[in-house]
Amino acid sequence: MVSVQIDSTTGSELVSTSEIKDYARIETTSDDTLIGILNTAARTACEDFINRDIVAKTRTYFRSHIPEKGGNYDGLYADRYKIVLPYAPINAITSVQTQESDGSLKTASFDTYGFDDKYIILTGLPNEDIKIVYTTTGLTDSALKLAILQLATTYYDNRTDFVTGTIVSEIPTNIKRILDPFKFISDI
């Protein structure tokens, strides 16, 4: 099982409430709180779609059942296991720990590789489970800003699904996108 959680959001939003209001031509201040919520929801949906953090965060990656052998090549990589960390760019890896049979946590040895340390190689295989705490830097790009503006405006314009004479029993697509980050993640 693989799970990634957000421990804290350390960066600020790429798009401000006033920018969304300008983009959507909203003149009232009565919806400012709602627009702030929609801004966060739009940014979160974009992050989930691209599998990268737009706003800097501290995250914890959990993985259970690390295989006993990490690779072949005549034993060259027998005690190594590669883990690709989601939601790069990675700023720093704070800790890599394994759970011992008595439940205590022990620091695991690792090397970082790839652009922005996107993946790590466990150099001493853990017992079974691994916990990695890391921080991301976030992204700033005008295309990402535009995507958030468009999605937040879409959320504002379509705050509810209404179908005359029909009972809507399925979660609307735009809400499914908001909920996607909360789904169970498995790389099996």
Side-chain angles (χ1 to χ4, degrees):
M1 176 179 80
V2 175
S3 156
V4 181
Q5 73 182 32
I6 298 171
D7 299 328
S8 64
T9 300
T10 56
S12 56
E13 293 292 345
L14 183 61
V15 177
S16 68
T17 299
S18 62
E19 289 173 311
I20 293 172
K21 287 174 70 174
D22 289 345
Y23 184 81
R25 297 185 181 131
I26 300 168
E27 295 178 3
T28 182
T29 59
S30 62
D31 285 345
D32 284 2
T33 301
L34 173 64
I35 292 169
I37 292 168
L38 298 175
N39 182 20
T40 301
R43 187 246 318 142
T44 301
C46 289
E47 286 176 332
D48 183 52
F49 185 75
I50 65 174
N51 197 27
R52 297 180 72 173
D53 279 341
I54 295 170
V55 172
K57 294 178 188 60
T58 299
R59 290 183 173 271
T60 300
Y61 172 96
F62 298 98
R63 181 175 182 131
S64 58
H65 307 296
I66 300 289
E68 288 184 29
K69 297 294 180 187
N72 288 332
Y73 305 106
D74 294 325
L76 181 62
Y77 300 112
D79 292 332
R80 299 170 68 85
Y81 188 78
K82 177 180 173 180
I83 295 177
V84 178
L85 294 172
Y87 298 101
I90 307 299
N91 180 44
I93 297 173
T94 308
S95 68
V96 178
Q97 297 175 310
T98 183
Q99 188 171 18
E100 297 296 300
S101 57
D102 65 358
S104 64
L105 295 175
K106 175 184 169 188
T107 301
S109 58
F110 66 95
D111 293 321
T112 58
Y113 293 96
F115 183 67
D116 294 321
D117 294 334
K118 187 167 181 168
Y119 65 92
I120 68 170
I121 302 287
L122 298 174
T123 53
L125 290 181
N127 290 341
E128 277 195 17
D129 302 333
I130 195 83
K131 174 185 175 185
I132 302 168
V133 178
Y134 62 100
T135 59
T136 61
T137 59
L139 300 169
T140 56
D141 188 285
S142 58
L144 291 172
K145 199 169 187 174
L146 179 60
I148 293 169
L149 285 168
Q150 289 181 357
L151 191 53
T153 302
T154 300
Y155 288 163
Y156 184 81
D157 290 341
N158 301 289
R159 287 173 260 181
T160 184
D161 284 345
F162 180 79
V163 180
T164 304
T166 304
I167 298 172
V168 179
S169 60
E170 185 176 313
I171 296 174
T173 303
N174 62 333
I175 295 174
K176 286 181 182 177
R177 292 298 307 146
I178 294 169
L179 296 176
D180 275 348
F182 300 99
K183 290 188 327 188
F184 174 75
I185 301 170
S186 175
D187 64 349
I188 296 175

